[in-house]
């Protein structure tokens, strides 16, 4: 058979051949170092700590991630707060000794690291990525300040190219400072998430520089749209470069590919579209993940390679009917979780995170709300892989304060930067199904323009996901219009107001963004067994009979009455999946109380009785039979001991 090629086809064949040959022989052009070991740490604070050559030999040797405060000691004087918690109904200021866990997280800490960057040389670019640094991080490279980022929960990146020295040992110093009354729970301290050094050519895909969407998803095919940002040196333009992308299926096999030169109409973007036949959809039950591997060339020289993991799935909220994942009606059986890992503190630990997800999935949980802040990348990656939906939350405050040194102090300057970082970081992750821009913010009494601004930023950066906020005064936000402008009206507690809100809101759906706040202590049973609100005991515990809650909250069945029976009630996020450090409600003033009692699972990761109540209701694929308190009770002979069976 004789084949005839047009001139255009010959040129394309020559380009593709050259690209394939170049990729075979080209050395790695993008490197990433995890800056984990070799760090030095001190709680002292001197300006010379940032200087080149400072002798830190006597400092403590630590490994990052590192939470300096979890080591203790506990003290009633650590962040002793005298406040009125208005969202808890407190009218006058009172002492809160263990509100932030009674751990010594307040103050300054310094980290120093000597490191080599063997792949960095003149003409290359270097980026430092901090997954989280608590807080007010000032970063110095070889004695020069490279950048500042105040919000301790957010990931951020810095261009450190001007400060690195090729072929030499470089010095990195980080100053962190936590202020008094800057949190309502234990926030952790230090470089508690990972630090990365990425080295690229001078033309490169920036951090979080791709955006994948799946605008069409059907049984037989899906359309995948990929936009890749491109940073170029001065004098270059996008048409000088060519991008070659392969789409790999969950088994790692190529299912499509596209090679195209940059288009000047797209400015600093490469825009590509693909068709994937017979797609494997991402879902809670089957979390299938695809990968886009993009190689960018200048002529036949490979200048960057960037990998993007994504899922193919659809999200839809239909008024009156509910939330649909891949066209299937799905109720949120969710929990809220703080970021600390109990006795491990705030330092990120992948094994502990995955253990938490496994425990929650066994209970029947299908979604987690990252209350009340940006998550660790390890949590999002694990949820992608294990099949857990995520509502990613950003802020506990806007312009109005809950605590005197909270986010309100930096809102005006930093809120858009923080929100854009969050969305760019995670908009390709299929587990992320909703953005949440606030939690019980005092601005809900009149900040309708602030709410609209934050939601508009989310829509601008990611038009594919709905936006909500957790509002704890349904009556107020329905009347002033804030609830009506949100994509999803998220209500914290007060389910008795759901019908009232539904009758007035145009969205015709309601989300329980935070529910229950039932309190219990594992293995502790109190008598008489009656429903109690804010009940306190001498041992600072709550009954595990699951009949006690807070003054503003309720028991699990109070929420189920709505989410089971009303199609417009699209599900709930229970407060909380796990106990956490701080907020020892109702023991605000009682020392030594320094952890919550809200969790369905305790600080050690051991399920309370309430775990099996939720499991019997949510996990329809497994049998549940759990009896409490136990078979006999020495000392209660002749008395009636109620037995609960889940």
């Amino acid at each position: 058979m004789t084949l005839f090629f047009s001139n255009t086809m010959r040129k394309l064949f020559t380009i593709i051949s050259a690209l394939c040959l170049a990729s075979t022989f080209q050395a790695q052009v993008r490197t990433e170092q995890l800056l984990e070991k070799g760090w030095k740490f001190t709680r002292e604070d001197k300006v010379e700590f940032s200087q080149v050559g400072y002798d830190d030999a006597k400092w403590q040797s630590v490994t990052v991630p590192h939470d300096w405060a979890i080591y203790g000691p506990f003290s009633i004087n650590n962040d002793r707060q005298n406040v009125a918690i208005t969202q808890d109904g407190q009218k006058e200021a009172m002492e809160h000794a263990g509100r932030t866990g009674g751990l010594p997280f307040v103050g300054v800490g310094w980290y120093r690291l000597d490191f080599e960057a063997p792949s960095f040389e003149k003409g290359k670019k270097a980026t430092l990525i901090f997954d989280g640094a608590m807080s007010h991080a000032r970063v110095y490279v070889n004695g020069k300040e490279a950048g500042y980022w105040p919000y301790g929960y957010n990931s951020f990146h810095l261009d450190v190219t001007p400060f690195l020295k090729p072929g030499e040992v470089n010095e990195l110093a980080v100053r962190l400072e936590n202020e008094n009354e800057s949190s309502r729970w234990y926030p952790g301290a230090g470089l508690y998430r990972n630090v990365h050094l990425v080295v690229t050519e001078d033309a490169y895909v920036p951090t979080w520089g791709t955006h994948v969407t799946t605008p069409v998803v059907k049984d037989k095919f899906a359309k995948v749209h990929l936009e890749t940002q491109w940073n170029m040196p001065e004098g270059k333009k996008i048409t000088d470069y060519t991008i070659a992308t392969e789409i790999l299926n969950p088994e790692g096999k190529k299912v499509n590919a596209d090679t195209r030169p940059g288009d000047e109409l797209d400015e600093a973007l490469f825009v590509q579209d693909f068709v994937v036949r017979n797609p494997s959809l991402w879902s809670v039950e089957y979390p299938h993940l695809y990968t886009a591997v993009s190689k960018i060339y200048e002529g036949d020289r490979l200048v960057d390679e960037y990998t993007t993991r994504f899922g193919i799935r659809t999200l839809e909220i239909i008024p009156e009917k509910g939330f649909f994942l891949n066209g299937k009606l799905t109720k949120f059986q969710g929990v809220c979780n703080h970021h600390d890992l109990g006795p491990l503190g705030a330092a990120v630990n992948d094994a502990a995170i995955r253990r938490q997800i496994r425990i929650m999935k066994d209970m029947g949980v299908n979604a987690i709300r990252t209350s009340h802040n940006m998550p660790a990348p390890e949590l999002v990656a694990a949820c992608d892989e294990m099949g857990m939906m995520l509502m990613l939350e950003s802020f506990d405050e806007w312009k109005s304060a809950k605590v005197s040194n909270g986010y309100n102090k930096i809102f005006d300057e930093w809120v858009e930067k923080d929100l854009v970082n969050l969305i760019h970081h995670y908009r390709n992750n299929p587990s992320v199904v909703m953005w949440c821009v606030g939690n019980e913010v005092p601005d809900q009494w009149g900040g309708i323009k602030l709410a609209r601004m934050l939601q508009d930023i989310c829509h601008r950066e990611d038009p594919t996901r709905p936006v909500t906020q957790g509002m704890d005064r349904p009556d107020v936000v329905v009347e002033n219009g804030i609830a009506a402008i949100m994509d999803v009206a998220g209500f914290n507690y007060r389910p008795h107001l759901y019908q009232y809100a539904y009758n007035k809101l145009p969205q015709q759906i309601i989300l329980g963004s935070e529910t229950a706040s039932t309190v219990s202590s594992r293995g502790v049973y109190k008598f008489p067994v009656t429903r109690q609100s804010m009940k306190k005991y001498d041992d600072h515990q709550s009954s595990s009979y699951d009949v006690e809650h807070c003054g503003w909250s309720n028991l699990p069945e109070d929420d189920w009455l709505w989410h089971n029976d009303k199609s417009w009630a699209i599900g709930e996020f229970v407060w909380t999946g796990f106990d956490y450090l701080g907020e020892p409600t109702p023991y605000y003033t009682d020392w030594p109380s320094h952890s919550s009692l809200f969790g369905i699972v305790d600080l050690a990761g051991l399920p309370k009785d309430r775990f099996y109540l939720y499991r019997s209701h949510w996990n329809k694929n497994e049998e549940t039979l759990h009896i409490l308190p136990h078979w006999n009770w020495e000392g209660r002979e002749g008395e009636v001991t109620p037995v609960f069976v889940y």
Side-chain angles (χ1 to χ4, degrees):
M1 179 183 295
T2 304
L3 298 178
F4 297 93
F5 293 93
S6 67
N7 288 335
T8 301
M9 291 177 66
R10 286 193 183 94
K11 289 179 181 178
L12 183 60
F13 181 78
T14 302
I15 291 173
I16 293 174
S17 299
L19 298 184
C20 293
L21 186 65
S23 65
T24 301
F25 295 104
Q26 179 73 41
Q28 188 176 8
V29 291
R30 171 183 288 262
T31 63
E32 179 173 336
Q33 291 175 243
L34 185 63
L35 302 181
E36 179 184 20
K37 298 180 180 179
W39 289 88
K40 291 289 190 175
F41 169 74
T42 185
R43 289 298 310 274
E44 296 182 51
D45 184 26
K46 296 180 180 178
V47 66
E48 56 262 34
F49 291 170
S50 67
Q51 295 175 2
V52 174
Y54 179 82
D55 184 5
D56 55 22
K58 294 182 179 180
W59 289 15
Q60 180 185 357
S61 296
V62 300
T63 299
V64 169
H66 174 248
D67 177 359
W68 82 56
I70 193 60
Y71 299 94
F74 290 101
S75 171
I76 193 173
N77 295 314
N78 287 332
D79 196 35
R80 197 172 194 164
Q81 297 188 16
N82 191 59
V83 295
I85 304 176
T86 55
Q87 65 263 38
D88 288 6
Q90 296 175 10
K91 303 297 183 183
E92 297 181 359
M94 58 191 297
E95 182 181 276
H96 292 265
R99 192 182 192 195
T100 50
L103 287 161
F105 75 94
V106 172
V108 174
W110 277 87
Y111 292 84
R112 286 179 55 88
L113 175 70
D114 293 341
F115 69 98
E116 295 181 0
S119 60
F120 181 74
E121 56 191 40
K122 187 176 180 180
K124 292 199 171 187
K125 288 284 185 178
T127 303
L128 272 176
I129 303 173
F130 291 82
D131 290 343
M134 189 65 69
S135 58
H136 292 280
R138 291 198 179 274
V139 180
Y140 302 86
V141 178
N142 292 322
K144 303 291 181 62
E145 184 169 343
Y148 168 71
W149 203 279
Y151 195 30
Y153 290 109
N154 210 349
S155 300
F156 63 96
H157 53 91
L158 303 171
D159 180 1
V160 295
T161 306
F163 312 108
L164 278 192
K165 299 175 182 177
E168 299 183 31
V169 174
N170 292 276
E171 297 183 30
L172 172 61
V174 183
R175 183 187 188 272
L176 301 171
E177 182 174 11
N178 291 329
E179 298 177 288
N180 282 102
E181 296 191 30
S182 59
S183 181
R184 300 191 299 115
W185 55 85
Y186 176 67
L191 293 176
Y192 72 114
R193 295 177 182 168
N194 281 306
V195 182
H196 316 257
L197 176 67
V198 177
V199 175
T200 65
E201 300 293 318
D202 61 351
Y204 62 102
V205 179
T207 306
W208 316 320
T210 57
H211 187 194
V212 179
T213 56
T214 53
V216 178
V217 179
K218 297 184 180 297
D219 290 340
K220 293 187 177 181
F221 72 93
K223 292 184 178 180
V224 177
H225 181 76
L226 173 63
E227 295 182 358
T228 304
Q229 297 178 49
W230 190 237
N231 283 359
M232 299 161 283
E234 188 175 349
K236 294 289 185 178
K237 52 187 182 297
I238 191 79
T239 52
D240 295 330
Y241 302 92
T242 299
I243 187 169
T245 299
E246 293 184 347
I247 303 295
L248 309 180
N249 69 10
E251 290 73 43
K253 297 180 180 179
K254 183 173 71 174
V255 294
N256 208 333
D258 176 75
T259 299
R260 66 181 58 236
D263 189 331
E264 61 184 5
L265 297 179
D266 297 320
E267 297 180 339
L269 279 179
F270 293 107
V271 179
Q272 296 176 286
D273 291 285
F274 307 85
V275 172
V276 174
R277 305 288 179 183
N278 302 311
S280 299
L281 304 189
W282 187 95
S283 68
V284 172
E285 299 80 10
Y286 304 103
H288 298 298
L289 294 169
Y290 286 77
T291 305
V293 180
S294 299
K295 297 180 180 180
I296 299 93
Y297 297 86
E298 183 178 14
D300 61 358
R301 183 175 72 94
L302 179 66
V303 290
D304 201 6
E305 181 173 338
Y306 196 91
T307 298
T308 306
R309 195 168 70 166
F310 67 98
I312 298 174
R313 52 107 176 100
T314 63
L315 308 175
E316 187 176 15
I317 293 178
I318 302 177
E320 299 278 6
K321 295 183 179 180
F323 171 79
F324 291 79
L325 177 64
N326 298 326
K328 177 183 177 183
L329 177 64
T330 304
K331 289 272 188 177
F332 287 108
Q333 297 175 177
V335 295
C336 304
N337 270 340
H338 272 311
H339 71 298
D340 78 68
L341 296 166
L344 301 181
V348 69
N349 183 302
D350 192 55
I353 287 170
R354 289 172 183 266
R355 175 181 180 239
Q356 285 194 342
I357 296 171
R358 285 196 300 271
I359 292 170
M360 289 293 98
K361 284 185 73 74
D362 181 53
M363 192 175 80
V365 171
N366 64 12
I368 293 172
R369 174 189 179 212
T370 65
S371 48
H372 301 293
N373 43 261
M374 288 79 167
E378 288 79 4
L379 172 66
V380 181
C383 289
D384 280 349
E385 295 168 13
M386 299 173 72
M388 180 70 75
M389 293 184 291
L390 283 169
M391 177 204 292
L392 293 196
E393 193 156 286
S394 46
F395 310 110
D396 190 50
E397 285 183 6
W398 294 347
K399 290 177 74 72
S400 300
K402 289 183 184 179
V403 288
S404 58
N405 290 313
Y407 195 81
N408 67 90
K409 294 176 64 176
I410 60 172
F411 179 90
D412 287 333
E413 181 180 356
W414 287 92
V415 68
E416 183 169 5
K417 301 172 189 176
D418 277 319
L419 197 50
V420 167
N421 268 23
L422 172 72
I423 295 169
H424 284 194
H425 198 168
Y426 299 118
R427 62 186 176 182
N428 296 327
N429 295 87
S431 60
V432 179
V433 299
M434 195 178 304
W435 307 112
C436 183
V437 294
N439 170 68
E440 299 179 4
V441 296
D443 299 279
Q444 68 187 296
W445 266 261
I448 189 168
K449 292 182 179 179
L450 294 178
R452 177 63 184 271
M453 176 192 74
L454 298 178
Q455 181 167 262
D456 285 349
I457 292 171
C458 294
H459 289 167
R460 182 192 74 203
E461 303 299 328
D462 171 36
T464 70
R465 293 176 178 86
V467 183
T468 189
Q469 62 167 304
M471 300 170 284
D472 64 327
R473 287 299 303 271
D475 51 344
V476 172
V477 296
V478 166
E479 294 302 325
N480 68 19
I482 289 182
I485 70 166
M486 304 305 299
D487 296 333
V488 175
F491 293 141
N492 291 6
Y493 312 109
R494 300 167 180 86
H496 62 281
L497 293 176
Y498 281 5
Q499 186 70 56
Y500 152 81
Y502 165 76
N503 290 341
K504 287 179 171 286
L505 290 177
Q507 298 98 319
Q508 297 176 273
I509 50 107
I510 284 174
L511 171 67
S513 46
E514 188 171 315
T515 64
S517 272
T518 305
V519 290
S520 62
S521 300
R522 183 175 60 86
V524 176
Y525 303 95
K526 303 294 187 180
F527 300 95
V529 181
T530 57
R531 182 165 181 160
Q532 301 276 2
S533 174
M534 305 299 282
K535 181 68 174 178
K536 296 171 70 173
Y537 304 94
D538 291 341
D539 60 1
H540 298 176
Q541 304 294 339
S542 293
S543 178
S544 198
Y545 267 113
D546 300 326
V547 292
E548 298 181 2
H549 56 84
C550 298
W552 65 88
S553 63
N554 49 267
L555 300 180
E557 51 266 35
D558 299 329
D559 297 303
W560 294 340
L561 290 171
W562 294 96
H563 297 291
N564 288 355
D565 297 343
K566 302 295 184 181
S567 60
W568 45 263
I570 65 173
E572 62 173 321
F573 289 82
V574 179
W575 191 264
T576 54
F578 286 77
D579 275 338
Y580 56 93
L581 298 171
E583 289 194 316
T585 314
Y587 298 99
Y588 299 110
T589 61
D590 303 78
W591 183 262
S593 287
H594 38 66
S595 70
S596 76
L597 298 169
F598 299 115
I600 300 169
V601 178
D602 73 7
L603 283 177
L606 302 177
K608 304 177 186 179
D609 291 299
R610 193 160 16 113
F611 176 93
Y612 301 97
L613 172 60
Y614 278 101
R615 190 179 192 272
S616 68
H617 189 69
W618 280 352
N619 189 344
K620 304 300 186 184
N621 297 321
E622 303 289 342
E623 292 183 357
T624 297
L625 178 58
H626 180 76
I627 301 174
L628 65 112
H630 43 71
W631 289 113
N632 53 57
W633 196 306
E634 186 177 352
R636 287 191 60 80
E637 295 86 353
E639 298 185 62
V640 173
T641 299
V643 174
F644 286 13
V645 181
Y646 299 147

